[in-house]
Amino acid sequence: MAGRAAFEIGGEFIAPGTRRTIDLPVSVMSDHTPATMSAHVIHGRRAGPVVFVSAGVHGDEIIGVEIVRRVLGMPNLKTLRGTLIAVPIVNAFGFLTNSRYLPDRRDLNRCFPGTQGGSLASRLANLFMTEIVSRSDLGIDLHSAAVHRTNLPQVRISPDNRETLRLARVFGAPVILRSQLRDGSLRGAASEAGVDVLLYEAGEALRFDEMAIRAGVSGILRVLKDQSMIPSKGISTARRKPLLSKSSRWLRAPQGGLLRAFKSEGDMVSPGETLAIVSDPFGEMDMPVVSDRAGLIVGRTVFPSVNEGDALFHVAQVSDPDSAEQTLEHLSSQLEDDPIFDEDEII
């Protein structure tokens, strides 16, 4: 009986039961330094799905890089079935400069599927689609909020995809948001190619958030377990079902000035409730930021200086508002107590 075939990527072959980091050439920089996108491949001895986990599509969203680092160190992967492709830093250009963008000022997540002969962003997107997505059955793409914002851990899925809804529930982040696919996004291009992608959003650009990191690590391991790729030992299911939201909207600044917030991510709000005050620098005019709906704050600005029209609070309608606070409390305490997150292992 023939053994399992080696896994090919970037012209390299990874034997079954081994793991290796492969450097995929992207370009040569102006000072003649070669630029690559590095993928760590774990190719199991036994057959199974091919799953990719990616982070750093936006170079300043470093929380996903730490999530991937911790996942790759988990002992569960020693007996992996199938193949895991981990790309901790897709946009190395932005990562090195603490920037969301590439040197050509393009947002990589608006350039998929890309082209081989296009801009730098388009070429990088094309490389990711060709070398990573085309070889995969499923993907998990890790993000954080943009600079000066923060997100409650959440998974975003396509509105009409039952399988990604099921997987999002398996992932177990506090909130699931149904959101339309955007033109040029990795999730949208992968969907066109027949590959489902879970989009995990948590925390803030250029910052670590321990609970958001733990939620990401736990979620990835749960999905790998669900796909029968890793054993279940040490991997707990979520104590509560995530809150499902079908719609959300941003509340915006009624005037420019200084923001004093009374509510934070994870808080429930009611119609007519004042979430913050925006004051002019002289203290002569205070304007309240009032919620027009009941919902859960899933994202907010963390920058106190705002201009009129700036996005302040991202409020999501949830399916069961009465139990929302209890759900968040249970999921948070589970992450705090989970033995898989031994402090010595983290450090």
Side-chain angles (χ1 to χ4, degrees):
M1 181 176 177
R4 180 158 149 78
F7 187 80
E8 181 183 1
I9 182 171
E12 302 283 342
F13 293 86
I14 294 90
T18 66
R19 56 193 293 172
R20 186 146 58 98
T21 298
I22 304 297
D23 296 326
L24 304 169
V26 177
S27 71
V28 176
M29 301 179 72
S30 57
D31 65 348
H32 202 63
T33 301
T36 63
M37 181 181 70
S38 298
H40 188 82
V41 180
I42 305 176
H43 189 46
R45 293 186 183 277
R46 293 172 291 177
V50 179
V51 174
F52 77 80
V53 179
S54 57
V57 167
H58 295 131
D60 60 352
E61 296 180 3
I62 63 174
I63 197 168
V65 184
E66 174 66 4
I67 291 172
V68 174
R69 184 192 74 81
R70 293 194 194 180
V71 168
L72 290 177
M74 289 293 170
N76 314 63
L77 300 182
K78 292 178 181 178
T79 56
L80 181 82
R81 289 176 179 262
T83 306
L84 177 66
I85 309 173
V87 187
I89 305 171
V90 178
N91 175 9
F93 304 96
F95 182 80
L96 290 172
T97 58
N98 300 324
S99 171
R100 180 182 181 89
Y101 305 105
L102 282 101
D104 57 7
R105 294 299 299 168
R106 284 180 168 85
D107 182 335
L108 180 59
N109 212 27
R110 297 295 178 269
C111 296
F112 287 94
T115 58
Q116 195 170 12
S119 67
L120 176 61
S122 183
R123 294 176 189 220
L124 178 54
N126 175 259
L127 176 69
F128 192 89
M129 292 295 298
T130 302
E131 294 289 353
I132 309 300
V133 175
S134 69
R135 289 175 163 82
S136 302
D137 301 303
L138 174 68
I140 304 173
D141 190 30
L142 308 174
H143 288 260
S144 73
V147 68
H148 301 319
R149 291 183 185 174
T150 190
N151 279 333
L152 186 72
Q154 58 196 255
V155 173
R156 298 183 183 180
I157 59 170
S158 305
D160 302 318
N161 190 320
R162 291 185 179 180
E163 177 61 10
T164 55
L165 175 58
R166 187 189 72 80
L167 289 172
R169 285 176 168 148
V170 168
F171 194 102
V175 180
I176 300 171
L177 284 180
R178 284 188 165 128
S179 64
Q180 297 291 338
L181 297 173
R182 289 193 175 189
D183 291 341
S185 69
L186 168 57
R187 190 162 62 103
S191 178
E192 287 290 325
V195 178
D196 287 334
V197 173
L198 297 179
L199 175 62
Y200 177 67
E201 285 268 6
E204 180 184 353
L206 300 175
R207 300 286 186 273
F208 278 179
D209 179 297
E210 182 59 29
M211 287 300 104
I213 292 169
R214 291 187 179 196
V217 174
S218 293
I220 292 169
L221 295 178
R222 288 168 182 156
V223 171
L224 295 181
K225 183 186 78 168
D226 175 81
Q227 298 295 299
S228 300
M229 295 177 69
I230 59 175
S232 59
K233 183 179 179 181
I235 302 173
S236 60
T237 56
R239 290 178 186 167
R240 289 287 187 100
K241 288 184 178 180
L243 301 168
L244 177 62
S245 175
K246 297 182 179 180
S247 66
S248 64
R249 62 168 294 185
W250 279 94
L251 300 180
R252 298 184 177 274
Q255 69 174 15
L258 304 176
L259 177 73
R260 289 174 287 147
F262 309 138
K263 293 289 185 176
S264 188
E265 68 277 10
D267 288 342
M268 294 295 299
V269 299
S270 304
E273 186 173 3
T274 297
L275 310 186
I277 296 289
V278 180
S279 305
D280 75 291
F282 306 102
E284 296 175 346
M285 183 178 294
D286 292 340
M287 292 196 69
V289 180
V290 179
S291 178
D292 61 352
R293 62 178 59 196
L296 173 70
I297 297 177
V298 295
R300 66 180 178 92
T301 183
V302 295
F303 199 57
S305 175
V306 300
N307 294 310
E308 185 174 344
D310 281 356
L312 303 182
F313 296 96
H314 190 191
V315 180
Q317 291 183 305
V318 293
S319 53
D320 189 4
D322 292 336
S323 66
E325 290 183 351
Q326 285 188 343
T327 296
L328 295 175
E329 198 173 299
H330 276 78
L331 294 176
S332 178
S333 64
Q334 183 176 5
L335 291 171
E336 289 178 357
D337 300 336
D338 197 327
I340 200 171
F341 298 111
D342 180 86
E343 287 190 4
D344 291 337
E345 292 291 333
I346 293 170
I347 294 169

